[in-house]
Amino acid sequence: MKHIPYKTYLPESELPKAFYNVRADMKTDHRPLLHPTTLKPVTVEDLEPIFCTELARQELNDTDRFIPIPEEVQAFFRMYRPSPLVRAYCLEKELDTPAEIYYKYEGGNTSGSHKLNSAIAQAYYAKEQGLKGVTTETGAGQWGTALSMACAYFGLDLKVFMVRCSAQQKPYRKVLMETYGATVTPSPSSMTKMGRSFLEKDPESSGSLGMAISEALEVSMNTPGYRYTLGSVLNQVLLHQSVIGLETRTALDHLEVEADIVIGCAGGGSNLGGLLAGFIGDKLAGKKAPYFIAVEPASCPSLTKGKFAYDYCDAGKVTPLAKMYTLGATFVPPAGHAGGLRYHGMSPILSQLYHDCFIEEARSYGQKDVFETAVRFARCEGLLPAPESAHAIKAAVEEALKCKESGEKKVIVFGLTGTGTFDLAAYQAFHKGLLENTGLTEGDLQQSFRALPPQSEEF
Amino acid sequence: MKHIPYKTYLPESELPKAFYNVRADMKTDHRPLLHPTTLKPVTVEDLEPIFCTELARQELNDTDRFIPIPEEVQAFFRMYRPSPLVRAYCLEKELDTPAEIYYKYEGGNTSGSHKLNSAIAQAYYAKEQGLKGVTTETGAGQWGTALSMACAYFGLDLKVFMVRCSAQQKPYRKVLMETYGATVTPSPSSMTKMGRSFLEKDPESSGSLGMAISEALEVSMNTPGYRYTLGSVLNQVLLHQSVIGLETRTALDHLEVEADIVIGCAGGGSNLGGLLAGFIGDKLAGKKAPYFIAVEPASCPSLTKGKFAYDYCDAGKVTPLAKMYTLGATFVPPAGHAGGLRYHGMSPILSQLYHDCFIEEARSYGQKDVFETAVRFARCEGLLPAPESAHAIKAAVEEALKCKESGEKKVIVFGLTGTGTFDLAAYQAFHKGLLENTGLTEGDLQQSFRALPPQSEEF
């Protein structure tokens, strides 16, 4: 029998040279983004005040299957990629399962997660366009950190609006971004008109992702030579993240292993969309392909409990509208939610794929159960996972235990998106018994859906 | 010209299968450890109450060149090793140097440093002996974290005494160890006789590594089925860490690259000793070998300013005496020292090699300069280094700039021992301008040397 190593690294020469654009293969393409005031499909020109031009083009590109990765971005990738494809031998032994379990580990870079894959691409295109800098928002800090590394590399200025409570709870994330030269402003701030209006309503506001997006957008629009960037949800982000899935597929092919089940955690969809890129083309072409499972927190269940509807991407309702599974743009997960994946909507691409059953299943877990799995995994596999990633681990464990029942020797592949070393406050809360398996009631959901815009006929 | 990839990973089949014991190749072996009360050379039997038996044997073994790595330890190594040998193309470009710069990066595992290499070996031998658990001390937390991962893997109990001020400043390190099931007690504590005596003298004591060692030793001696462990300085630790250098050498051989200069930071010596393992055998045999540079902080300069003398390994003076470069067992770096590498002595093996000029050079840097280099490195290479590792980076940068002057195309290899993501408080202090290039005055040194025991004739 062929020996499978614990870790498989592709040689540098086999790293992807082009991003895979799944939209070119989708027969039902997802519905267009709509301009927030005209409600007409947006054009590249509409998006250019927000994103740099190449990214605006990528956002709307549904024809090119492959988009070459610029050499400068490939060079940066070579510094921290390939990420390893790991055979979880110890977890298999612990579960006593006949299943084979693999994970693609994206947390080995200093930013600690897969977000760096899109950050470096977005920074590159901004630099290419001659911009001075970019703005963004960050919640937990993964995206902000990744973007600060990317901007430092290309000598771009970066202004980050960090959700105030998060900036207070995670001061070291702020220090990390500052180390790479970013300016980090707790949001809401008095720097922007939007921020001042939020503060007028509530001077003690702890902030939200929606408010931070509004502030970052305002600054980018009002500062010559700046554009706005976002680390998930967008088509361009899934495009860049396709390197995860492409590498995974190539490594499995080398090992002569065929995946039966592919599992990814899903917040805005950047990781899951990236991971599927190695397999979804086959499925869309009607070929044999793995069963896909999206995993989300019970306290932010956009795929499992949300509506497939047109909605704004931000709480301030200034962004274009997208057709996606959503809980409503003003949705905020219940207090005490510690596991990340807190965005109200799901990537329009993944939403359409799920709607059309190309992603066969979505499931959600309570966070206490997720942390239990995370600790169990850490103690046997060594690696401490980010809480986000632990959602996928839990699904992988469940599938492996089903195999134990049935005796099936399935191949399970999941995405381990990040390290948990920046989430130790959440682990501490778990050890103290402070985390509950909070879900949403029907009442919560109905309340939340009221924020949805009216869905007109032509939608 | 041969293309050198950014990162070289050895295939699993080429990972070391035996630890390299440099003592078997040393013509002037370093002087024996002495029993603290009889002052006679210690025997395995003397060490058995402290360390588990196999480790006591390894500590005194100066005859076996190679000691097989147990299969169970090799299996754990396969989960996080090989560590990559990285070509620092971006740093070379930034420095505009003709030199080639490589680093062996050991910070990619969850514990964040090379310490895991010895932790897993020590935990394995303890498990093999049927022990229930082990005790240890930790300062910054690298060693304690590594050992907690190792003990979780083998199902061993672990009691960590963590220097009190460090436990307060780094609460998340404590959470991380607890996540892996360790019990972490801030030291000095009321749990031990030693701890209570320290607290009687000073109820507000912020603790020290020496006090924590004394407490960990006391608990291990008084608890049936427990032994004590230490993460640096010891011969056994350098033996386990030899995997760093062996991997580095094999990777360079594959690349057909010959190192001209090898650089490592040095606190207790675990990293430098490990890195040299790939090259020192040649040098001891009179063959062509690289020039070795040890780098230490100006505020804890055991090699550059210490005395080569017999000294205790702990402040409490209960451990055996070792012949080493030392600042005196009660030495504590000046307040404000943030860069790690704070042990008063240097590994007896490295001390002897330095004394005999097999390590050609030791140099020291002020911490402000070290952090400046660390930030510069992070911004161009992406990776945020631990402050300890940044000492080696600074020496590598200096050597590369010398090459720029001279036009020489030297090959510089350094050890990048850990990630800086657990050191963001120190980076914050640097950004705020709070770090000074503090060194020691002649008066400080003389004061410090007074703690040295009398050096008798037969020493």
Side-chain angles (χ1 to χ4, degrees):
Chain A
M1 211 177 101
K2 196 177 157 63
H3 171 69
I4 307 282
Y6 278 66
K7 290 158 79 180
T8 301
Y9 289 99
L10 294 180
E12 196 176 89
S13 58
E14 295 189 33
L15 294 188
K17 290 177 184 57
F19 296 123
Y20 167 65
N21 181 14
V22 64
R23 292 181 68 194
D25 282 341
M26 287 169 73
K27 276 137 209 164
T28 337
D29 191 18
H30 64 76
R31 254 57 69 84
L33 290 170
L34 299 183
H35 192 284
T37 50
T38 67
L39 297 183
K40 301 276 179 221
V42 298
T43 62
V44 169
E45 291 67 35
D46 290 333
L47 293 180
E48 275 182 314
I50 305 177
F51 304 122
C52 70
T53 306
E54 177 55 27
L55 290 170
R57 281 194 205 116
Q58 290 182 2
E59 193 59 31
L60 301 184
N61 187 331
D62 58 5
T63 49
D64 298 318
R65 259 192 112 214
F66 288 99
I67 295 177
I69 305 175
E71 176 47 42
E72 290 86 341
V73 175
Q74 287 192 50
F76 191 88
F77 279 165
R78 287 193 288 264
M79 287 207 291
Y80 75 98
R81 306 197 67 79
S83 66
L85 180 71
V86 185
R87 173 79 183 266
Y89 279 116
C90 296
L91 181 62
E92 291 172 17
K93 196 172 153 193
E94 157 110 356
L95 299 174
D96 188 24
T97 174
E100 290 183 16
I101 308 176
Y102 296 83
Y103 61 88
K104 179 73 168 166
Y105 179 51
E106 291 286 327
N109 67 75
T110 291
S111 78
S113 84
H114 68 292
K115 298 275 182 182
L116 192 52
N117 302 330
S118 185
I120 192 65
Q122 294 191 40
Y124 169 78
Y125 293 119
K127 182 72 183 176
E128 265 297 286
Q129 191 171 324
L131 297 181
K132 283 188 210 154
V134 292
T135 72
T136 200
E137 77 293 326
T138 199
Q142 284 189 345
W143 168 247
T145 308
L147 194 62
S148 69
M149 288 174 67
C151 286
Y153 183 75
F154 284 123
L156 279 174
D157 183 45
L158 170 62
K159 300 181 197 302
V160 181
F161 289 86
M162 186 171 190
V163 177
R164 181 175 298 278
C165 62
S166 183
Q168 286 161 347
Q169 284 160 11
K170 300 191 166 193
Y172 293 148
R173 272 286 187 187
K174 183 166 178 286
V175 176
L176 188 51
M177 289 183 261
E178 288 167 349
T179 299
Y180 286 96
T183 311
V184 182
T185 307
S187 165
S189 77
S190 55
M191 264 183 66
T192 66
K193 210 172 139 184
M194 275 290 196
R196 288 188 294 273
S197 82
F198 294 132
L199 285 173
E200 252 168 51
K201 278 180 222 153
D202 177 8
E204 304 299 313
S205 169
S206 61
S208 76
L209 219 44
M211 292 180 194
I213 293 179
S214 303
E215 290 203 78
L217 263 169
E218 182 182 324
V219 170
S220 75
M221 309 280 259
N222 295 337
T223 318
Y226 282 70
R227 291 293 185 284
Y228 169 73
T229 62
L230 183 67
S232 193
V233 186
L234 299 172
N235 301 338
Q236 59 188 267
V237 174
L238 266 72
L239 179 74
H240 307 146
Q241 294 294 359
S242 66
V243 296
I244 302 174
L246 296 172
E247 280 185 17
T248 303
R249 178 60 184 273
T250 307
L252 286 171
D253 287 351
H254 276 303
L255 298 174
E256 298 172 29
V257 167
E258 247 181 69
D260 296 304
I261 303 174
V262 173
I263 301 168
C265 61
S270 67
N271 153 66
L272 180 63
L275 184 61
L276 295 191
F279 310 92
I280 187 77
D282 282 350
K283 193 175 285 188
L284 290 166
K287 294 185 201 162
K288 193 178 167 216
Y291 181 87
F292 296 152
I293 305 175
V295 191
E296 53 187 17
S299 44
C300 191
S302 57
L303 279 179
T304 48
K305 297 274 180 82
K307 286 207 168 148
F308 189 47
Y310 262 106
D311 196 8
Y312 296 93
C313 297
D314 71 317
K317 304 190 177 184
V318 296
T319 60
L321 290 96
K323 179 93 180 216
M324 58 185 175
Y325 282 88
T326 177
L327 298 162
T330 54
F331 175 82
V332 176
H337 171 68
L341 308 170
R342 46 173 58 243
Y343 190 67
H344 68 277
M346 181 56 63
S347 139
I349 290 176
L350 294 186
S351 291
Q352 190 68 47
L353 288 172
Y354 180 59
H355 187 71
D356 295 342
C357 302
F358 290 109
I359 295 171
E360 285 87 351
E361 188 184 337
R363 60 177 81 158
S364 70
Y365 296 122
Q367 60 179 351
K368 189 179 162 198
D369 297 343
V370 166
F371 274 87
E372 257 164 30
T373 300
V375 171
R376 184 181 187 183
F377 181 85
R379 291 186 184 180
C380 82
E381 283 282 319
L383 197 158
L384 186 78
E388 291 86 346
S389 321
H391 288 77
I393 300 175
K394 181 159 171 57
V397 166
E398 278 188 3
E399 293 304 309
L401 291 176
K402 280 188 205 164
C403 287
K404 187 180 173 183
E405 286 290 312
S406 67
E408 285 173 292
K409 196 176 146 56
K410 287 191 181 170
V411 172
I412 301 166
V413 177
F414 70 89
L416 208 161
T417 55
T419 171
T421 52
F422 290 106
D423 300 282
L424 290 166
Y427 275 94
Q428 188 172 34
F430 169 70
H431 295 319
K432 288 184 176 167
L434 300 176
L435 298 191
E436 299 294 338
N437 281 329
T438 330
L440 299 178
T441 65
E442 201 51 42
D444 294 335
L445 280 169
Q446 291 315 320
Q447 172 69 28
S448 176
F449 290 145
R450 273 184 218 145
L452 284 175
Q455 305 288 310
S456 63
E457 286 296 313
E458 63 269 37
F459 283 4
Chain B
M1 212 178 99
K2 195 177 158 62
H3 170 70
I4 305 280
Y6 278 66
K7 290 158 79 181
T8 301
Y9 289 99
L10 295 180
E12 195 176 90
S13 58
E14 295 190 33
L15 293 187
K17 290 177 183 55
F19 297 123
Y20 168 65
N21 181 14
V22 64
R23 292 181 70 195
D25 282 341
M26 288 168 74
K27 276 137 208 162
T28 339
D29 191 17
H30 64 77
R31 254 58 67 86
L33 290 171
L34 300 183
H35 193 284
T37 49
T38 66
L39 297 184
K40 302 277 178 220
V42 298
T43 62
V44 169
E45 290 68 35
D46 289 333
L47 293 179
E48 277 183 311
I50 304 178
F51 305 123
C52 70
T53 306
E54 177 55 27
L55 291 169
R57 281 193 204 117
Q58 291 182 1
E59 193 58 32
L60 302 185
N61 187 331
D62 59 4
T63 50
D64 298 319
R65 260 192 110 211
F66 287 99
I67 294 177
I69 304 175
E71 176 47 43
E72 290 85 342
V73 175
Q74 288 192 49
F76 191 89
F77 279 164
R78 288 193 288 264
M79 287 206 292
Y80 75 98
R81 306 197 67 79
S83 65
L85 180 72
V86 186
R87 173 78 182 266
Y89 279 115
C90 297
L91 181 62
E92 291 172 16
K93 196 172 155 196
E94 157 110 357
L95 300 174
D96 188 24
T97 174
E100 291 182 15
I101 308 176
Y102 296 82
Y103 60 88
K104 179 74 168 167
Y105 179 50
E106 291 286 327
N109 67 75
T110 292
S111 79
S113 85
H114 68 294
K115 298 276 181 180
L116 192 52
N117 302 330
S118 184
I120 192 64
Q122 293 191 41
Y124 168 77
Y125 294 119
K127 183 71 182 177
E128 264 298 285
Q129 191 170 325
L131 297 181
K132 281 188 211 154
V134 292
T135 72
T136 201
E137 77 293 326
T138 199
Q142 284 189 345
W143 168 247
T145 308
L147 194 63
S148 69
M149 290 174 66
C151 286
Y153 183 74
F154 284 123
L156 279 173
D157 183 46
L158 171 61
K159 300 179 198 304
V160 180
F161 289 86
M162 186 171 191
V163 177
R164 180 176 299 279
C165 62
S166 183
Q168 285 161 348
Q169 284 161 12
K170 300 191 165 191
Y172 293 148
R173 272 285 188 187
K174 186 167 174 286
V175 176
L176 188 51
M177 290 183 260
E178 287 167 349
T179 299
Y180 286 96
T183 311
V184 183
T185 307
S187 166
S189 78
S190 55
M191 263 184 66
T192 66
K193 210 170 140 184
M194 276 290 196
R196 287 188 295 273
S197 82
F198 294 133
L199 286 172
E200 250 168 51
K201 280 179 220 151
D202 178 8
E204 303 298 312
S205 170
S206 61
S208 77
L209 219 45
M211 291 180 196
I213 293 178
S214 303
E215 289 203 79
L217 263 170
E218 182 182 323
V219 170
S220 74
M221 308 280 260
N222 295 336
T223 317
Y226 282 70
R227 291 294 184 284
Y228 169 75
T229 62
L230 184 69
S232 191
V233 185
L234 299 173
N235 302 338
Q236 58 187 269
V237 173
L238 267 72
L239 179 75
H240 308 147
Q241 294 294 357
S242 66
V243 296
I244 302 174
L246 296 173
E247 280 185 15
T248 303
R249 178 60 183 271
T250 306
L252 286 170
D253 287 350
H254 277 303
L255 298 173
E256 298 172 28
V257 166
E258 246 181 69
D260 296 305
I261 303 175
V262 172
I263 300 168
C265 61
S270 66
N271 152 67
L272 180 63
L275 184 61
L276 294 191
F279 311 92
I280 187 77
D282 283 351
K283 193 175 283 187
L284 290 166
K287 294 185 200 162
K288 193 177 166 216
Y291 182 86
F292 296 151
I293 305 175
V295 192
E296 52 187 18
S299 44
C300 190
S302 56
L303 279 178
T304 49
K305 297 275 179 81
K307 285 205 167 149
F308 189 47
Y310 262 106
D311 197 7
Y312 296 93
C313 298
D314 70 317
K317 305 191 176 182
V318 296
T319 59
L321 289 97
K323 179 92 179 217
M324 58 185 176
Y325 282 88
T326 176
L327 298 161
T330 55
F331 175 81
V332 176
H337 171 68
L341 308 171
R342 45 173 60 242
Y343 189 68
H344 68 278
M346 180 57 64
S347 140
I349 290 175
L350 294 185
S351 292
Q352 189 69 46
L353 288 171
Y354 181 60
H355 187 72
D356 294 342
C357 302
F358 290 109
I359 296 171
E360 285 87 350
E361 189 184 337
R363 62 177 78 157
S364 70
Y365 295 122
Q367 61 180 350
K368 189 180 162 195
D369 297 344
V370 166
F371 274 87
E372 257 165 33
T373 300
V375 171
R376 183 180 189 185
F377 181 85
R379 291 185 184 180
C380 81
E381 283 282 320
L383 196 157
L384 185 78
E388 291 87 345
S389 321
H391 288 78
I393 300 175
K394 182 159 172 58
V397 166
E398 278 188 2
E399 294 304 308
L401 291 175
K402 279 186 205 165
C403 288
K404 187 180 174 181
E405 287 291 311
S406 68
E408 286 172 290
K409 196 177 147 56
K410 287 191 182 170
V411 172
I412 301 167
V413 177
F414 70 88
L416 209 162
T417 54
T419 171
T421 50
F422 289 106
D423 299 281
L424 290 165
Y427 275 94
Q428 189 172 32
F430 169 70
H431 295 319
K432 288 184 175 167
L434 301 176
L435 299 191
E436 299 293 336
N437 280 329
T438 328
L440 300 178
T441 64
E442 201 50 43
D444 294 336
L445 281 169
Q446 292 315 320
Q447 173 68 28
S448 176
F449 289 145
R450 274 184 217 144
L452 284 176
Q455 306 286 310
S456 63
E457 286 294 313
E458 64 269 39
F459 283 4

